[in-house]
């Protein structure tokens, strides 16, 4: 109780002390908050009114699929605006909550607090309630919009099913009234086009001429530039008798994609320039767009069939069919595309000019019957010719699919299901073309990505001739090209397939927006745009780190004559720190909250406790080695049974190269926990020892003087510390001396030892000083005689051997006795 009273008194004192400025500030903040509440309330009311209007449109039975998609996109924009209105209060709510927390909890029953504190608490509470009301309105509107979006999805499914399952009566298809309606339709189209042409050539001739010339110029640039840059890629070479499978795939794919893209760019530019100069009228623009789309589709289908079947060049043909059937397949496929294209164009004309339903039914009926007949003809075709000259049909599964689709289309049309028949026909032609092109592209990408595949392409051969790329680098470039082609296929052809299967551009736009801004799975939001941004940021940080490493090592530390080991340690430390910093910045740029990594850190620590102890031990040991530097790159160290030169020190292991050129990867914990000898730790000065023995009876002083002279005469032996010769021991068979010399570089010790031994051998030979050798045991092999064995001979051999061993033992005892008495042994 006392503490609470003290706290209230302190708050009151602070409030009273700052009352003028605090009151003015609170008044200003209150006015700003009131204005914000008023603005957001008005915005939410406007959004609610728009939502009401869109809800009425959803209930309209005449609304088509495209209209429903447009309504859904508008509703999603409204939902995002409502959520932004709610988020506008986030900062103010945080301020209010912090201020209420400073004021403390309200007094208990029967207690009072200063009036100024009570007034401020009441004002903050009222403002918070108003803000919560606005936020609740925004949230309710967002929930309502979610329900309307679900309603749109259900209605679109119903519209799609009704189009496919709706049955029409065919009684008026071929009636005189149908022909009369068709005549009136073509007459109206002719008059519309003629009137526009008259107007355009009379008043817009210069604009038409300018737009046409610019479109033709762009087309010429695309065609000429494309042929110069990619002529070898999409044009088969007739002189090549046996092209590789990869070459045929590449030519088929690019000869379809590049010319189609060029034609599409030309047609799109023509429409753009016509619209820019206000040449097109509303209905004429619709007709022209439909006609150009038909031209593009027919051109693409014709290019694909020609590329895959290649009637002129059999050796470039992907499908091994005969030349005659190949020509017929190209004609039939192109005819199907033309029929469906004309049907689509006429459907646009019918819709724009308000044609009667009987004409629409007749148009769809005729188109689907023709497509069905073409499919049956393609299935009955015999494209293969056997060795005996007989013609063979398609494989059974392919033949039955083609004939089945043709019969199904015709049957659906005859039964009155025109929408279903048109849908199947269009999918066979357009979706089939897209899938075949994409499949050829996938095959090309897979062939390019295989080992040695990219080197066989024209680009690979050019790079191999005009650059220093090796086979490994070309394979890596082929892998990158393969991934890029696959990604391009997915980004280009997947939307086309979705559009052909009833989806609208708005659907793809909405999915792309959700994919870019974030897809929520549970409590986790995955944003492809954020992930790509994080990856780009990390890559940039990685390369900046590598550049800074090279600059620091080559320009700063090299000029400063910094030791090689220090340079290596600093370079590694900078590299690890830079990569870690780039990873953290990339994670933040990807939109991942670093605080969410606490669970990952906890799991990682648990894993370290159970199974990663050695890894962490080696990592920490590596950091200790880099910091303390008990050895550096280039040092000669001895670690247990391993002796060699340090080649690389990393945070996990150290690479040691032995003198036999064997690379040994030694964990850093072994180097920290065990004894390690370093011959070149402080400097490369080291001592070399050479042992030599002389026979008993030699002049030891003369031997000592000769050895000293030999050691001093070597150019690599240091004068200070000066060489030293030690009379080491009275050996069993020799008098033992030891030469001790110091060299500036202990790595040259083997050379010094070798040279001194040669010099000792030569001088001792000139001075007639004997270097005795230790007697070696001679093992005699006894040849076993065949049966019967001569026992007398065996006993004589044993007796002789015992006599020789006794004489040798007596001689050794005599020498030892003389040695104890200090007398020279008698050589005799």
């Amino acid at each position: 109780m006392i503490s609470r009273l003290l706290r209230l008194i302190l708050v009151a004192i602070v409030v009273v002390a700052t009352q003028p400025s605090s009151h003015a500030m609170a008044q200003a903040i209150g006015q700003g908050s009131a204005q914000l509440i008023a603005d957001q309330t008005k915005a939410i009311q406007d959004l609610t009114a728009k939502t009401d209007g869109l809800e009425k449109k959803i209930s309209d039975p005449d609304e088509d699929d495209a209209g429903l998609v447009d309504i859904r996109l508008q509703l999603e924009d409204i939902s995002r605006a409502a959520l932004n209105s709610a988020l506008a209060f986030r900062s103010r709510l945080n301020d209010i909550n912090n201020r209420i927390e400073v004021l403390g909890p309200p007094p208990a029953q029967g207690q009072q607090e200063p009036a100024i504190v009570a007034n401020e608490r009441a004002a903050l509470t009222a403002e918070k309630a108003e803000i919560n009301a606005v936020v609740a309105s925004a949230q309710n509107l967002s929930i309502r919009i979610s329900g309307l979006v679900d309603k749109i999805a259900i209605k679109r499914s119903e519209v799609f099913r009704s189009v496919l399952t709706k049955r029409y009566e065919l009684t008026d298809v071929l009636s005189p009234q149908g022909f009369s309606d068709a005549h009136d339709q073509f007459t109206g189209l002719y008059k519309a086009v003629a009137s526009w042409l008259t107007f355009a050539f009379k008043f817009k001739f210069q604009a038409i001429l300018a737009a046409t010339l610019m479109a033709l110029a762009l087309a010429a640039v695309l065609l000429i530039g494309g042929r110069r840059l990619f002529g070898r890629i999409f044009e088969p070479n007739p002189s090549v008798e046996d092209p590789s499978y990869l070459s045929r795939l590449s030519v088929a794919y690019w000869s379809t994609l590049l010319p189609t893209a060029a034609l599409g760019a030309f047609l799109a530019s023509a429409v753009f320039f016509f619209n820019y100069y206000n040449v097109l009228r509303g209905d004429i623009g619709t007709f022209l767009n439909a006609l150009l789309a038909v031209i593009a589709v027919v051109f693409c289908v014709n290019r694909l069939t020609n590329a895959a079947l290649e009637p002129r060049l059999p050796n470039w043909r992907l499908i091994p069919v005969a030349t005659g059937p190949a020509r017929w397949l190209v004609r039939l496929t192109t005819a199907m595309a033309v029929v469906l294209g004309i049907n689509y164009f006429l459907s646009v004309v019918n819709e724009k000019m308000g044609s009667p339903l009987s004409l629409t039914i007749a148009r769809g009926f005729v188109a689907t019957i023709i497509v069905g007949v073409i499919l049956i003809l393609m299935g009955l075709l015999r494209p293969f010719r056997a060795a005996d000259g007989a013609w063979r049909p398609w494989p059974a599964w392919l033949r039955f699919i083609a004939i089945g689709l043709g019969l199904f289309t015709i049957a659906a049309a005859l039964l009155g299901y025109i929408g279903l028949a048109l849908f199947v026909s269009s999918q066979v032609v357009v979706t089939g073309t897209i899938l075949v092109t994409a499949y050829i592209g996938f095959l090309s990408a897979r062939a390019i990505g295989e080992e040695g595949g990219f080197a066989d392409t024209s680009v690979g051969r050019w790079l191999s001739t005009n650059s220093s790329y090796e086979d490994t680098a070309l394979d890596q470039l082929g892998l990158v090209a393969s991934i890029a082609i696959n990604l391009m296929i997915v980004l280009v052809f997947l939307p086309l397939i979705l559009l052909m299967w009833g989806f609208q551009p708005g659907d793809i736009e909405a999915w792309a927006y959700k994919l870019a801004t974030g897809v929520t799975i549970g409590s986790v939001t995955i944003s492809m745009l954020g992930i790509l941004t994080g990856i780009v940021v990390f890559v940039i940080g990685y390369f900046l780190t590598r550049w800074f490493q090279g600059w620091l090592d080559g320009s700063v530390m090299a000029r400063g004559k910094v030791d090689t080991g220090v340079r290596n340690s600093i370079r590694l430390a900078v590299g690890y720190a830079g990569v870690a910093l780039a990873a953290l910045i990339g994670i933040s740029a990807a939109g991942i909250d670093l605080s969410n990594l606490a669970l990952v850190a906890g799991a990682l620590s648990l894993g370290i406790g159970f199974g990663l102890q050695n890894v962490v031990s080696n990592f920490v040991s590596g950091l200790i080695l880099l910091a303390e530097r008990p050895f550096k790159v280039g040092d000669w160290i001895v670690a247990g049974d391993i002796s060699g030169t340090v080649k690389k020190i990393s945070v996990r292991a150290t690479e040691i190269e032995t003198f036999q050129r064997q690379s040994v990867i030694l964990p850093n914990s072994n180097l920290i926990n065990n004894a390690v000898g370093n011959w070149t730790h402080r400097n490369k000065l080291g001592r070399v020892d050479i042992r030599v023995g002389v026979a008993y009876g030699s002049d030891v002083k003369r031997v000592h003087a000769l050895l000293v002279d030999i050691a001093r005469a070597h150019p690599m032996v240091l004068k200070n510390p000066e060489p030293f010769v030690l009379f080491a021991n009275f050996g069993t068979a020799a008098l033992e001396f030891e030469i001790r010399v110091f060299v500036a570089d202990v790595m040259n010790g083997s050379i010094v030892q070798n040279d001194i031994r040669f010099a000792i051998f030569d001088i001792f030979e000139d001075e007639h000083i004997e270097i005795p050798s230790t007697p070696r045991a001679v093992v005699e092999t006894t040849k076993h005689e065949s049966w019967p064995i001569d026992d007398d001979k065996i006993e004589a051999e044993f007796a002789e051997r015992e006599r020789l061993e006794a004489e040798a033992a007596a001689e050794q005892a005599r020498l030892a006795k003389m040695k104890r008495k200090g007398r020279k042994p008698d050589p005799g």
Side-chain angles (χ1 to χ4, degrees), residues 102-116:
V102 170
L103 295 177
Q109 189 73 22
Q111 294 182 355
Q112 293 183 353
E113 61 181 352
I116 190 170

Side-chain angles (χ1 to χ4, degrees), residues 209-435:
L209 184 62
T212 305
L213 289 177
M214 284 188 286
L216 288 175
L218 179 61
V221 170
L222 290 174
L223 289 176
I224 296 173
R227 288 186 179 277
R228 290 182 65 87
L229 292 176
F230 306 104
R232 295 182 180 180
I233 296 178
F234 66 83
E235 290 183 355
N237 189 356
S239 61
V240 179
E241 297 181 357
D242 188 18
S244 63
Y245 181 66
L246 174 60
S247 299
R248 287 182 287 159
L249 281 174
S250 300
V251 168
Y253 178 66
W254 295 110
S255 65
T256 301
L257 187 62
L258 293 179
T260 303
L263 178 64
F266 164 67
L267 298 177
S269 63
V271 173
F272 172 78
F273 289 128
F274 281 145
N275 288 323
Y276 181 78
Y277 289 108
N278 295 322
V279 173
L280 297 178
R281 202 171 59 196
D283 55 347
I284 299 300
T286 303
F287 298 157
L288 183 61
N289 289 333
L291 180 61
L292 295 183
V294 170
I295 293 173
V297 171
V298 173
F299 179 81
C300 179
V301 172
N302 182 263
R303 289 293 303 184
L304 177 62
T305 52
N306 274 288
L309 298 173
E310 196 58 56
R312 300 168 301 168
L313 301 173
N315 52 339
W316 285 90
R317 197 169 295 160
L318 278 178
I319 304 174
V321 298
T323 302
R327 291 195 181 96
W328 274 108
L329 286 171
V330 172
R331 294 167 185 166
L332 292 173
T333 307
T334 306
M336 263 198 310
V338 170
V339 170
L340 289 177
I342 294 174
N343 176 72
Y344 171 74
F345 176 74
L346 292 178
S347 69
V348 174
V349 173
N350 294 339
E351 182 180 356
K352 193 68 178 177
M353 301 185 69
S355 302
L357 181 61
S358 59
L359 190 59
T360 302
I361 297 173
R363 168 183 51 78
F365 177 79
V366 173
T368 52
I369 292 295
I370 295 175
V371 171
V373 172
I374 292 175
L375 284 173
I376 294 174
L377 292 176
M378 293 175 66
L380 295 176
L381 194 66
R382 295 176 177 269
F384 306 108
R385 194 164 189 172
D388 56 356
W391 292 95
R392 293 186 293 107
W394 295 105
W397 64 272
L398 184 59
R399 183 171 69 254
F400 292 150
I401 288 177
I403 296 175
L405 286 174
L407 292 175
F408 178 81
T409 303
I410 294 174
L414 292 175
L415 293 175
Y417 295 99
I418 305 299
L420 178 60
L422 284 174
F423 180 78
V424 173
S425 301
S426 61
Q427 300 312 315
V428 168
V429 177
V430 183
T431 306
T433 302
I434 295 172
L435 290 177

Side-chain angles (χ1 to χ4, degrees), residues 487 491 512 515-517 526-540 585-592:
L487 184 62
L491 294 178
L515 192 64
T517 56
I526 301 174
S527 172
M528 292 302 299
L529 183 62
I531 292 174
L532 291 176
T533 304
I535 292 174
V536 171
V537 170
F538 173 75
V539 170
I540 293 174
I585 297 175
I587 291 173
S588 299
I592 300 174

Side-chain angles (χ1 to χ4, degrees), residues 593-624:
D593 189 0
L594 295 178
S595 62
N596 293 333
L597 299 179
L599 293 177
V600 178
L604 183 61
S605 62
L606 184 63
I608 291 172
F610 281 99
L612 301 179
Q613 294 180 359
N614 292 333
V615 175
V616 175
S617 175
N618 291 326
F619 181 81
V620 175
S621 299
L623 296 179
I624 294 173

Side-chain angles (χ1 to χ4, degrees), residues 14-326:
V14 172
V15 172
V16 171
T18 60
Q19 183 175 1
S21 59
S22 176
H23 179 70
M25 185 179 298
Q27 186 176 5
I29 293 175
Q31 292 176 356
S33 178
Q35 183 64 37
L36 179 62
I37 293 173
D39 293 341
Q40 298 304 325
T41 302
K42 180 66 169 57
I44 292 175
Q45 290 175 354
D46 295 339
L47 294 176
T48 304
K50 291 181 181 179
T51 304
D52 295 337
L54 293 175
E55 187 175 8
K56 293 179 180 179
K57 289 184 178 181
I58 295 174
S59 304
D60 187 359
D62 296 331
E63 195 70 41
D64 59 356
D65 187 69
L68 292 173
V69 171
D70 183 63
I71 293 173
R72 191 192 71 179
L73 292 177
Q74 295 182 46
L75 288 174
E76 290 178 349
D77 291 338
I78 292 174
S79 178
R80 286 192 289 269
L83 292 178
N84 290 332
S85 297
L87 292 175
F89 296 102
R90 176 183 294 177
S91 176
R92 182 54 185 162
L93 282 175
N94 290 334
D95 295 339
I96 292 174
N97 292 329
N98 293 333
R99 185 61 181 165
I100 291 176
E101 184 178 356
V102 170
L103 295 177
Q109 189 73 22
Q111 294 182 355
Q112 293 183 353
E113 61 181 352
I116 190 170
V117 177
N119 293 335
E120 185 175 1
R121 186 191 306 277
L124 292 174
T125 304
E127 182 182 355
K128 184 176 181 180
E130 293 179 2
I131 293 175
N132 288 334
V134 178
V135 171
S137 300
Q139 292 176 346
N140 292 333
L141 180 59
S142 179
I143 294 172
R144 178 188 173 191
I145 290 175
S146 298
L148 293 178
V149 169
D150 295 337
K151 184 178 179 180
I152 289 175
I154 295 173
K155 187 171 182 180
R156 288 185 63 196
S157 300
E158 294 175 352
V159 170
F160 184 71
R161 287 196 299 269
S162 65
V163 170
L164 296 183
T165 59
K166 187 174 182 179
R167 187 173 182 273
Y168 299 93
E169 296 294 335
L170 302 178
T171 54
D172 298 333
V173 172
L174 301 177
S175 63
Q177 183 61 37
F179 288 102
S180 176
D181 293 338
H183 180 268
D184 295 339
Q185 183 76 59
F186 283 109
T187 301
L189 178 62
Y190 174 77
K191 290 181 179 180
V193 174
S195 64
W196 173 76
L197 288 176
T198 302
F199 166 79
F201 279 99
K202 187 175 181 180
F203 299 101
K204 295 286 186 179
F205 178 76
Q206 294 181 352
I208 291 176
L209 184 62
T212 305
L213 289 177
M214 284 188 286
L216 288 175
L218 179 61
V221 170
L222 290 174
L223 289 176
I224 296 173
R227 288 186 179 277
R228 290 182 65 87
L229 292 176
F230 306 104
R232 295 182 180 180
I233 296 178
F234 66 83
E235 290 183 355
N237 189 356
S239 61
V240 179
E241 297 181 357
D242 188 18
S244 63
Y245 181 66
L246 174 60
S247 299
R248 287 182 287 159
L249 281 174
S250 300
V251 168
Y253 178 66
W254 295 110
S255 65
T256 301
L257 187 62
L258 293 179
T260 303
L263 178 64
F266 164 67
L267 298 177
S269 63
V271 173
F272 172 78
F273 289 128
F274 281 145
N275 288 323
Y276 181 78
Y277 289 108
N278 295 322
V279 173
L280 297 178
R281 202 171 59 196
D283 55 347
I284 299 300
T286 303
F287 298 157
L288 183 61
N289 289 333
L291 180 61
L292 295 183
V294 170
I295 293 173
V297 171
V298 173
F299 179 81
C300 179
V301 172
N302 182 263
R303 289 293 303 184
L304 177 62
T305 52
N306 274 288
L309 298 173
E310 196 58 56
R312 300 168 301 168
L313 301 173
N315 52 339
W316 285 90
R317 197 169 295 160
L318 278 178
I319 304 174
V321 298
T323 302

Side-chain angles (χ1 to χ4, degrees), residues 463-474:
L463 288 175
S464 179
T465 304
N466 298 279
S467 66
S468 59
Y469 286 112
E470 299 180 352
D471 293 340
T472 303
L474 290 177

